[in-house]
Amino acid sequence: MRLASFTSSCPAKNLFFTAARALSSVTTQNNPNLFSLLHQSPNVNYLRHLHAHLLRTSNYSNVILSSKLVLAYSKLNRLFPTSLAVFWHMPHRNIFSWNIIIGEFSRSGFPSESIDLFLRMWRDSTVRPDDFTLPLVVRACSAYQARLGGLVHALSLKLGFGVSLFVSSALVIMYVDIGEISCARKLFDEMLFRDSVLYTAMFGGYVQRGEALLGFALFREMMCSGFSLDSVVMVSLLTACGQLGTLNHGKSVHGWCIRRCSCLGLNLGNAVVDMYVKCSKLVYAHRVFLEMPRRDVISWSSLVLGYGLDGDVVMSVKLFDEMLQEGIEPNAVTFLGVLSACAHGGLVDKSWLYFRQMHECKIVPELKHYASMADCMARAGLLEEAEKFIEEMHVEADEAVMGAVLSGCKVYGNVQVGERVARKLIQLKPGKAGYYVTLAGLYTAAGRFDEAESLRKWMKDKQISKVAGCSSI
């Protein structure tokens, strides 16, 4: 009675006693019970009992059971060293065993170990890879060393797996992940059969590379092939609409999401907000943002950056402060948004506050952040401070950073700082006429007509001229 009441009140113990009874009656032929117990082990202690039973009986020599034991330890976060030790202790190993250990290391974030295991299988055993092994290795290559992916591709062709859907799909996704979109498309076009996963990966690859038009062409092909759409495709489609600024298409996709989804998930909601931000429809973006059931740093950053770039200083700063109150830690994009807002509003003191806060959040400033700071000081007329800021930067200033200061010099007519900054820009980009023209304008505004004329004559002699403006309409 006591035992019955104890087991009924403790499911894990109940499973243990069930396992004990099953093990007491199990035989070599009664392997299905062991398969079930291996899958249902709630923790490592119970799995060790099964492990001990396999060692005491002839069942440990069963390569399928011992391979399942390797997998069971890995599922309980004992991949290293327990799963690996069990794998090397196995009396026999076949391709099923190797696929399990290679795949578990690849999926668990140890791509180099996964590749090393594959190489050991190739060198030290007679087991040869099949069309399930190579996709696992390809995944590890895309996460660890892209160059090895090409070698695995060549090996797959040599072994005759070029027509395998599993191998080809993994290779296409790998080439997409490492940015080799042309190689991915070539392999994609050569495939005899393509599924929705492949189309989604290729479409997402085009969008990530900023080639939205090619992505739309592939999307139309996908629709003509009769594949159904899911939220992953919709995220890429919304991103493409944002890149091209096609508001009507973006609204259509948003409408589809509302009709097909009971509520916008986090990724889909973020994509809708980002699309409206990039199409300069911040009212729509804010409305979707408020209706989202859950928001993360990406949700907040999109809106903060959108208002910041649009020059709405009050709203951008307000959202940033609200995000901090919600307990969400800002990222580099969030700080870029609020620094852009400060630059538009000339809030130098506040921009320094946020810039120092980046270091507190252990975020290393990028050139974009430095450019926003320089722009903020230049717009406020603090040109000497901006020049000093550039000189004290931990990274070498680029065109955007120095160009912001030069624009400020043009507005405030500061020839001294403008001349020094313009010469650095001309040294960086000697063929860009805009910097010569700005410097000549500064000379003219200061009454230094001879120097302005001399600079224009030098431009003419060197055949440096400003490119005429044109419209995309």
Side-chain angles (χ1 to χ4, degrees):
M1 287 291 291
R2 288 180 187 174
L3 182 62
S5 62
F6 173 71
T7 55
S8 63
S9 63
C10 184
K13 293 291 184 185
N14 194 19
L15 178 61
F16 174 71
F17 284 107
T18 303
R21 287 195 297 270
L23 289 176
S24 64
S25 61
V26 76
T27 63
T28 306
Q29 288 76 29
N30 197 20
N31 286 335
N33 284 340
L34 285 172
F35 281 123
S36 176
L37 292 172
L38 284 169
H39 280 297
Q40 295 177 21
S41 296
N43 58 46
V44 176
N45 289 332
Y46 299 130
L47 187 58
R48 283 173 180 158
H49 285 286
L50 294 173
H51 188 178
H53 174 79
L54 291 176
L55 288 171
R56 287 196 304 269
T57 63
S58 59
N59 287 300
Y60 194 69
S61 61
N62 184 317
V63 68
I64 303 299
L65 278 174
S66 50
S67 299
K68 287 288 185 181
L69 180 64
V70 171
L71 181 61
Y73 273 120
S74 177
K75 297 300 182 188
L76 293 173
N77 299 318
R78 291 294 189 276
L79 176 60
F80 187 83
T82 312
S83 278
L84 190 60
V86 172
F87 175 78
W88 291 124
H89 190 255
M90 287 170 60
H92 309 288
R93 290 181 286 272
N94 62 7
I95 189 59
F96 179 69
S97 321
W98 283 101
N99 284 350
I100 283 178
I101 196 68
I102 291 170
E104 288 305 297
F105 271 100
S106 179
R107 279 187 286 268
S108 301
F110 299 102
S112 60
E113 288 80 359
S114 180
I115 293 168
D116 288 341
L117 283 164
F118 173 73
L119 294 175
R120 288 191 67 171
M121 182 192 79
W122 183 265
R123 288 193 310 260
D124 303 337
S125 76
T126 58
V127 178
R128 297 295 87 176
D130 61 9
D131 56 353
F132 293 102
T133 316
L134 293 176
L136 301 172
V137 182
V138 166
R139 177 195 293 179
C141 290
S142 64
Y144 176 62
Q145 195 170 6
R147 185 180 62 85
L148 293 174
L151 299 177
V152 177
H153 187 181
L155 178 64
S156 69
L157 296 174
K158 183 179 178 181
L159 295 176
F161 293 122
V163 295
S164 168
L165 175 63
F166 300 116
V167 177
S168 297
S169 299
L171 287 168
V172 168
I173 293 171
M174 179 202 70
Y175 282 127
V176 167
D177 289 341
I178 65 176
E180 295 287 346
I181 199 73
S182 58
C183 295
R185 185 57 194 258
K186 183 176 183 296
L187 189 58
F188 177 85
D189 290 336
E190 291 172 354
M191 292 179 65
L192 300 176
F193 176 78
R194 308 180 192 101
D195 59 10
S196 60
V197 175
L198 268 179
Y199 272 103
T200 303
M202 277 300 306
F203 181 34
Y206 276 128
V207 174
Q208 289 167 15
R209 298 266 300 175
E211 298 178 358
L213 289 174
L214 291 174
F216 273 128
L218 187 71
F219 175 74
R220 283 192 289 270
E221 182 183 325
M222 180 181 179
M223 293 296 294
C224 292
S225 300
F227 291 109
S228 58
L229 304 177
D230 58 13
S231 60
V232 179
V233 179
M234 290 297 105
V235 168
S236 296
L237 197 56
L238 286 163
T239 306
C241 292
Q243 288 175 2
L244 296 175
T246 52
L247 179 61
N248 289 334
H249 286 86
K251 283 183 174 179
S252 298
V253 179
H254 185 194
W256 184 94
C257 296
I258 292 172
R259 289 192 300 272
R260 299 296 182 92
C261 308
S262 56
C263 66
L264 292 179
L266 184 60
N267 291 336
L268 201 54
N270 286 342
V272 174
V273 170
D274 183 63
M275 182 272 296
Y276 281 128
V277 166
K278 287 178 178 174
C279 292
S280 299
K281 293 296 179 181
L282 294 171
V283 175
Y284 295 164
H286 206 150
R287 188 182 303 162
V288 174
F289 172 83
L290 293 174
E291 291 173 354
M292 289 174 64
R294 188 164 70 91
R295 298 184 284 268
D296 63 0
V297 66
I298 298 174
S299 322
W300 288 93
S301 298
S302 296
L303 218 50
V304 170
L305 181 62
Y307 279 114
L309 294 176
D310 197 54
D312 193 334
V313 185
V314 176
M315 186 57 73
S316 182
V317 172
K318 180 174 177 288
L319 283 167
F320 184 84
D321 293 339
E322 285 179 6
M323 184 184 75
L324 295 179
Q325 290 172 7
E326 292 279 335
I328 297 174
E329 190 170 326
N331 61 15
V333 177
T334 325
F335 278 110
L336 180 61
V338 77
L339 286 173
S340 299
C342 292
H344 280 90
L347 307 177
V348 179
D349 292 338
K350 211 163 184 61
S351 69
W352 273 112
L353 180 69
Y354 293 131
F355 191 74
R356 292 189 185 99
Q357 194 174 348
M358 289 184 69
H359 297 283
E360 295 173 10
C361 294
K362 297 180 180 179
I363 298 173
V364 179
E366 301 173 18
L367 284 168
K368 295 175 183 177
H369 302 99
Y370 285 113
S372 293
M373 285 296 298
D375 187 32
C376 185
M377 287 183 275
R379 285 174 185 246
L382 303 174
L383 300 168
E384 286 79 9
E385 289 85 345
E387 185 183 21
K388 184 181 178 183
F389 175 77
I390 290 175
E391 291 170 354
E392 293 175 352
M393 281 170 53
H394 297 297
V395 292
E396 189 174 349
D398 64 353
E399 276 188 277
V401 178
M402 291 189 285
V405 180
L406 184 60
S407 297
C409 293
K410 183 179 177 181
V411 172
Y412 289 97
N414 192 322
V415 183
Q416 289 75 26
V417 176
E419 188 174 24
R420 290 192 294 268
V421 173
R423 291 190 185 282
K424 289 179 182 177
L425 281 165
I426 289 169
Q427 189 177 5
L428 188 66
K429 293 284 182 179
K432 195 162 184 178
Y435 302 134
Y436 298 96
V437 173
T438 302
L439 182 57
L442 283 171
Y443 286 146
T444 302
R448 295 161 62 175
F449 302 109
D450 292 341
E451 291 174 82
E453 185 60 32
S454 175
L455 183 58
R456 291 191 182 97
K457 185 177 182 303
W458 187 86
M459 286 178 63
K460 188 175 181 180
D461 292 341
K462 294 293 184 180
Q463 296 183 338
I464 299 173
S465 59
K466 213 172 180 184
V467 179
C470 61
S471 172
S472 60
I473 299 175

Short mmCIF file of all heavy atoms in Angstrom, two decimals, residues 3-8 10-27 30 33-34 37 40 46 49-50 53 56:
data_model
loop_
_atom_site.label_atom_id
_atom_site.label_comp_id
_atom_site.label_asym_id
_atom_site.label_seq_id
_atom_site.Cartn_x
_atom_site.Cartn_y
_atom_site.Cartn_z
N LEU A 3 3.95 1.51 -0.95
CA LEU A 3 4.66 1.63 -2.24
C LEU A 3 3.75 2.15 -3.32
O LEU A 3 4.12 3.01 -4.12
CB LEU A 3 5.23 0.26 -2.63
CG LEU A 3 6.04 0.22 -3.92
CD1 LEU A 3 7.26 1.13 -3.78
CD2 LEU A 3 6.46 -1.21 -4.24
N ALA A 4 2.51 1.68 -3.33
CA ALA A 4 1.56 2.12 -4.36
C ALA A 4 1.26 3.61 -4.21
O ALA A 4 1.22 4.35 -5.19
CB ALA A 4 0.26 1.31 -4.25
N SER A 5 1.04 4.05 -2.95
CA SER A 5 0.74 5.47 -2.76
C SER A 5 1.94 6.34 -3.07
O SER A 5 1.82 7.45 -3.60
CB SER A 5 0.29 5.71 -1.33
OG SER A 5 1.33 5.37 -0.42
N PHE A 6 3.16 5.84 -2.79
CA PHE A 6 4.37 6.62 -3.06
C PHE A 6 4.58 6.80 -4.56
O PHE A 6 4.85 7.91 -5.04
CB PHE A 6 5.57 5.90 -2.43
CG PHE A 6 6.90 6.52 -2.78
CD1 PHE A 6 7.26 7.75 -2.26
CD2 PHE A 6 7.77 5.88 -3.66
CE1 PHE A 6 8.48 8.32 -2.58
CE2 PHE A 6 8.97 6.45 -3.99
CZ PHE A 6 9.34 7.66 -3.43
N THR A 7 4.41 5.72 -5.31
CA THR A 7 4.63 5.80 -6.75
C THR A 7 3.56 6.61 -7.45
O THR A 7 3.83 7.31 -8.43
CB THR A 7 4.68 4.39 -7.36
OG1 THR A 7 3.49 3.70 -7.02
CG2 THR A 7 5.90 3.62 -6.86
N SER A 8 2.33 6.55 -6.96
CA SER A 8 1.27 7.33 -7.61
C SER A 8 1.46 8.82 -7.39
O SER A 8 1.02 9.64 -8.18
CB SER A 8 -0.10 6.90 -7.08
OG SER A 8 -0.19 7.18 -5.70
N CYS A 10 4.43 10.29 -7.19
CA CYS A 10 5.71 10.73 -7.76
C CYS A 10 5.89 10.09 -9.12
O CYS A 10 6.33 8.94 -9.21
CB CYS A 10 6.85 10.35 -6.82
SG CYS A 10 8.46 10.97 -7.38
N PRO A 11 5.52 10.77 -10.23
CA PRO A 11 5.59 10.19 -11.56
C PRO A 11 6.97 9.70 -11.94
O PRO A 11 7.12 8.67 -12.59
CB PRO A 11 5.14 11.34 -12.48
CG PRO A 11 4.40 12.27 -11.59
CD PRO A 11 4.99 12.14 -10.26
N ALA A 12 8.02 10.44 -11.55
CA ALA A 12 9.38 10.03 -11.91
C ALA A 12 9.73 8.71 -11.24
O ALA A 12 10.30 7.81 -11.85
CB ALA A 12 10.37 11.12 -11.52
N LYS A 13 9.37 8.59 -9.95
CA LYS A 13 9.63 7.32 -9.25
C LYS A 13 8.80 6.20 -9.86
O LYS A 13 9.25 5.05 -9.96
CB LYS A 13 9.28 7.48 -7.76
CG LYS A 13 10.21 8.43 -7.01
CD LYS A 13 11.58 7.85 -6.86
CE LYS A 13 12.49 8.75 -6.03
NZ LYS A 13 13.87 8.24 -5.98
N ASN A 14 7.58 6.53 -10.25
CA ASN A 14 6.71 5.55 -10.88
C ASN A 14 7.37 4.99 -12.12
O ASN A 14 7.36 3.78 -12.37
CB ASN A 14 5.37 6.18 -11.21
CG ASN A 14 4.32 5.14 -11.55
OD1 ASN A 14 4.49 3.96 -11.21
ND2 ASN A 14 3.27 5.58 -12.21
N LEU A 15 7.96 5.89 -12.92
CA LEU A 15 8.65 5.46 -14.14
C LEU A 15 9.83 4.57 -13.78
O LEU A 15 10.11 3.58 -14.46
CB LEU A 15 9.12 6.68 -14.92
CG LEU A 15 9.90 6.39 -16.21
CD1 LEU A 15 9.05 5.61 -17.19
CD2 LEU A 15 10.39 7.69 -16.83
N PHE A 16 10.52 4.90 -12.68
CA PHE A 16 11.67 4.10 -12.28
C PHE A 16 11.26 2.67 -11.94
O PHE A 16 11.90 1.70 -12.34
CB PHE A 16 12.38 4.76 -11.10
CG PHE A 16 13.50 3.92 -10.53
CD1 PHE A 16 14.67 3.75 -11.24
CD2 PHE A 16 13.36 3.29 -9.30
CE1 PHE A 16 15.70 2.97 -10.74
CE2 PHE A 16 14.38 2.51 -8.80
CZ PHE A 16 15.55 2.35 -9.50
N PHE A 17 10.18 2.53 -11.14
CA PHE A 17 9.74 1.18 -10.78
C PHE A 17 9.23 0.42 -12.00
O PHE A 17 9.40 -0.79 -12.10
CB PHE A 17 8.67 1.26 -9.68
CG PHE A 17 9.24 1.57 -8.32
CD1 PHE A 17 9.06 2.82 -7.75
CD2 PHE A 17 9.97 0.62 -7.64
CE1 PHE A 17 9.58 3.11 -6.51
CE2 PHE A 17 10.50 0.91 -6.39
CZ PHE A 17 10.31 2.16 -5.82
N THR A 18 8.58 1.15 -12.93
CA THR A 18 8.16 0.51 -14.17
C THR A 18 9.37 0.01 -14.94
O THR A 18 9.38 -1.09 -15.49
CB THR A 18 7.36 1.51 -15.04
OG1 THR A 18 6.27 1.99 -14.28
CG2 THR A 18 6.86 0.85 -16.31
N ALA A 19 10.41 0.83 -14.98
CA ALA A 19 11.64 0.45 -15.67
C ALA A 19 12.28 -0.76 -15.01
O ALA A 19 12.76 -1.67 -15.68
CB ALA A 19 12.62 1.62 -15.68
N ALA A 20 12.27 -0.77 -13.68
CA ALA A 20 12.88 -1.89 -12.96
C ALA A 20 12.16 -3.19 -13.28
O ALA A 20 12.78 -4.24 -13.49
CB ALA A 20 12.85 -1.61 -11.46
N ARG A 21 10.82 -3.13 -13.31
CA ARG A 21 10.05 -4.35 -13.64
C ARG A 21 10.31 -4.78 -15.07
O ARG A 21 10.45 -5.97 -15.36
CB ARG A 21 8.56 -4.08 -13.43
CG ARG A 21 8.14 -4.00 -11.96
CD ARG A 21 6.62 -4.10 -11.82
NE ARG A 21 5.94 -2.99 -12.46
CZ ARG A 21 5.65 -1.86 -11.86
NH1 ARG A 21 6.00 -1.67 -10.58
NH2 ARG A 21 5.03 -0.89 -12.50
N ALA A 22 10.41 -3.77 -15.99
CA ALA A 22 10.64 -4.11 -17.40
C ALA A 22 12.01 -4.72 -17.58
O ALA A 22 12.19 -5.68 -18.33
CB ALA A 22 10.48 -2.87 -18.28
N LEU A 23 13.00 -4.17 -16.88
CA LEU A 23 14.36 -4.68 -17.04
C LEU A 23 14.51 -6.07 -16.47
O LEU A 23 15.31 -6.88 -16.94
CB LEU A 23 15.34 -3.72 -16.35
CG LEU A 23 15.57 -2.37 -17.02
CD1 LEU A 23 16.48 -1.51 -16.16
CD2 LEU A 23 16.15 -2.55 -18.41
N SER A 24 13.74 -6.37 -15.44
CA SER A 24 13.84 -7.69 -14.83
C SER A 24 13.34 -8.79 -15.76
O SER A 24 13.73 -9.94 -15.64
CB SER A 24 13.05 -7.73 -13.52
OG SER A 24 11.67 -7.54 -13.79
N SER A 25 12.47 -8.41 -16.70
CA SER A 25 11.91 -9.40 -17.62
C SER A 25 12.44 -9.29 -19.03
O SER A 25 12.08 -10.06 -19.89
CB SER A 25 10.38 -9.27 -17.65
OG SER A 25 10.04 -7.98 -18.11
N VAL A 26 13.30 -8.26 -19.27
CA VAL A 26 13.74 -8.04 -20.64
C VAL A 26 14.75 -9.09 -21.07
O VAL A 26 15.52 -9.59 -20.27
CB VAL A 26 14.33 -6.61 -20.78
CG1 VAL A 26 15.73 -6.53 -20.20
CG2 VAL A 26 14.35 -6.19 -22.25
N THR A 27 14.71 -9.44 -22.30
CA THR A 27 15.68 -10.37 -22.89
C THR A 27 16.28 -9.71 -24.10
O THR A 27 15.90 -8.63 -24.51
CB THR A 27 14.98 -11.69 -23.31
OG1 THR A 27 14.03 -11.38 -24.32
CG2 THR A 27 14.30 -12.35 -22.12
N ASN A 30 13.74 -8.93 -26.55
CA ASN A 30 12.68 -8.02 -26.13
C ASN A 30 13.16 -6.56 -26.16
O ASN A 30 13.01 -5.83 -25.20
CB ASN A 30 12.21 -8.39 -24.73
CG ASN A 30 10.87 -7.78 -24.38
OD1 ASN A 30 10.13 -7.39 -25.27
ND2 ASN A 30 10.57 -7.72 -23.09
N ASN A 33 11.05 -2.85 -25.48
CA ASN A 33 10.93 -2.25 -24.15
C ASN A 33 12.09 -1.31 -23.85
O ASN A 33 11.92 -0.24 -23.28
CB ASN A 33 10.88 -3.34 -23.07
CG ASN A 33 9.51 -4.01 -23.03
OD1 ASN A 33 8.54 -3.44 -23.51
ND2 ASN A 33 9.45 -5.21 -22.47
N LEU A 34 13.27 -1.74 -24.23
CA LEU A 34 14.46 -0.91 -23.98
C LEU A 34 14.42 0.37 -24.80
O LEU A 34 14.81 1.44 -24.32
CB LEU A 34 15.72 -1.70 -24.29
CG LEU A 34 16.10 -2.77 -23.26
CD1 LEU A 34 17.25 -3.62 -23.77
CD2 LEU A 34 16.48 -2.12 -21.95
N LEU A 37 12.11 2.70 -22.97
CA LEU A 37 12.69 3.22 -21.72
C LEU A 37 13.78 4.24 -21.98
O LEU A 37 13.92 5.22 -21.24
CB LEU A 37 13.23 2.05 -20.89
CG LEU A 37 12.17 1.09 -20.33
CD1 LEU A 37 12.83 -0.12 -19.70
CD2 LEU A 37 11.30 1.81 -19.31
N GLN A 40 12.15 7.48 -22.70
CA GLN A 40 11.36 8.08 -21.61
C GLN A 40 12.17 8.40 -20.37
O GLN A 40 11.61 8.88 -19.38
CB GLN A 40 10.23 7.12 -21.22
CG GLN A 40 9.20 6.91 -22.32
CD GLN A 40 8.14 5.90 -21.92
OE1 GLN A 40 7.93 5.66 -20.74
NE2 GLN A 40 7.48 5.32 -22.89
N TYR A 46 18.24 7.81 -13.90
CA TYR A 46 17.49 6.67 -14.44
C TYR A 46 18.15 6.13 -15.70
O TYR A 46 18.15 4.93 -15.94
CB TYR A 46 16.05 7.10 -14.73
CG TYR A 46 15.32 7.56 -13.49
CD1 TYR A 46 14.64 8.77 -13.49
CD2 TYR A 46 15.35 6.81 -12.32
CE1 TYR A 46 13.99 9.21 -12.35
CE2 TYR A 46 14.70 7.25 -11.18
CZ TYR A 46 14.03 8.45 -11.19
OH TYR A 46 13.40 8.88 -10.06
N HIS A 49 20.86 3.69 -14.87
CA HIS A 49 20.38 2.34 -14.56
C HIS A 49 20.22 1.54 -15.85
O HIS A 49 20.58 0.35 -15.90
CB HIS A 49 19.05 2.42 -13.80
CG HIS A 49 19.19 2.82 -12.37
ND1 HIS A 49 19.69 1.98 -11.40
CD2 HIS A 49 18.91 3.99 -11.75
CE1 HIS A 49 19.70 2.61 -10.23
NE2 HIS A 49 19.24 3.84 -10.41
N LEU A 50 19.63 2.17 -16.87
CA LEU A 50 19.48 1.49 -18.16
C LEU A 50 20.85 1.18 -18.77
O LEU A 50 21.07 0.11 -19.33
CB LEU A 50 18.67 2.36 -19.12
CG LEU A 50 17.21 2.61 -18.76
CD1 LEU A 50 16.60 3.64 -19.70
CD2 LEU A 50 16.41 1.32 -18.82
N HIS A 53 22.29 -1.77 -17.07
CA HIS A 53 21.64 -3.01 -17.51
C HIS A 53 22.17 -3.45 -18.87
O HIS A 53 22.42 -4.65 -19.08
CB HIS A 53 20.13 -2.79 -17.59
CG HIS A 53 19.40 -3.96 -18.18
ND1 HIS A 53 19.11 -5.09 -17.45
CD2 HIS A 53 18.93 -4.19 -19.44
CE1 HIS A 53 18.48 -5.96 -18.24
NE2 HIS A 53 18.36 -5.43 -19.44
N ARG A 56 25.47 -5.09 -18.42
CA ARG A 56 25.42 -6.42 -17.77
C ARG A 56 24.90 -7.50 -18.71
O ARG A 56 25.08 -8.69 -18.46
CB ARG A 56 24.54 -6.36 -16.52
CG ARG A 56 25.16 -5.62 -15.35
CD ARG A 56 24.41 -5.94 -14.05
NE ARG A 56 22.99 -5.63 -14.17
CZ ARG A 56 22.46 -4.45 -13.84
NH1 ARG A 56 23.25 -3.48 -13.39
NH2 ARG A 56 21.17 -4.24 -13.96
#
